[in-house]
Amino acid sequence: MLSANLCEALVRIGGEEGPGFSLDFKWSSDLPMERPTERIRLVRPQLTALEAEALRARLGCRDMILTGSVVRLHRELAHGPGAVTVAGSFEDRDEGRLRRVRMTLDQPDCDKAAEAHRRGDEVLVRGDLTALGSAPRMEGIRSFVVRRLSE
């Protein structure tokens, strides 16, 4: 796995308009490889993909708050943890774009999610957004709060 800092350093080595560069690897004699590792060539399209800000945007953010509605629930058993999908948006991100975000909740929060779904109430989920794009997920859920919309 490459860190965002290493990726940013590779982009800087390549320069703004530079032709790119190649990397060669020689493995330790303590860990011999059956065949040599091929040269890796990084040119502008690959370097652009490695830009740290773009990577961080695609990979997610820590301590995000998702506000929305529970649209899917799944539990293998009547009690216990479950898979929940919330359709909502993140504060200060994507200009309020609606996303379907998956998460796994422990039993107490899953029970709250089921009740919120039944009543049509809004939920606020605080956790780490681990992926953007087609399959965003919330991990490390720190709080799951139901905001009652009807009395």
Side-chain angles (χ1 to χ4, degrees), residues 26-131:
K26 297 213 183 247
W27 296 95
S28 166
S29 58
D30 292 341
L31 298 170
M33 299 296 290
E34 291 181 21
R35 57 189 168 113
T37 302
E38 293 183 30
R39 174 176 285 172
I40 298 172
R41 177 114 176 98
L42 296 172
V43 293
R44 181 57 28 207
Q46 289 90 10
L47 292 171
T48 300
L50 290 177
E51 289 177 343
E53 288 304 313
L55 283 173
R56 287 183 184 109
R58 283 196 304 273
L59 295 176
C61 297
R62 296 183 58 81
D63 202 30
M64 299 289 291
I65 298 174
L66 172 68
T67 303
S69 301
V70 176
V71 295
R72 184 176 179 277
L73 296 144
H74 177 76
R75 280 199 252 207
E76 293 295 324
L77 303 171
H79 297 286
V84 174
T85 301
V86 174
S89 60
F90 293 96
E91 295 178 358
D92 305 326
R93 189 176 191 107
D94 297 337
E95 298 164 1
R97 177 179 163 208
L98 192 66
R99 297 182 174 279
R100 287 180 167 260
V101 182
R102 294 182 230 156
M103 62 200 72
T104 300
L105 298 176
D106 60 16
Q107 180 175 335
D109 285 343
C110 199
D111 291 343
K112 290 193 293 188
E115 183 67 13
H117 179 67
R118 188 181 68 73
R119 296 173 66 102
D121 290 335
E122 183 176 68
V123 297
L124 286 83
V125 186
R126 177 180 227 129
D128 301 329
L129 180 63
T130 60

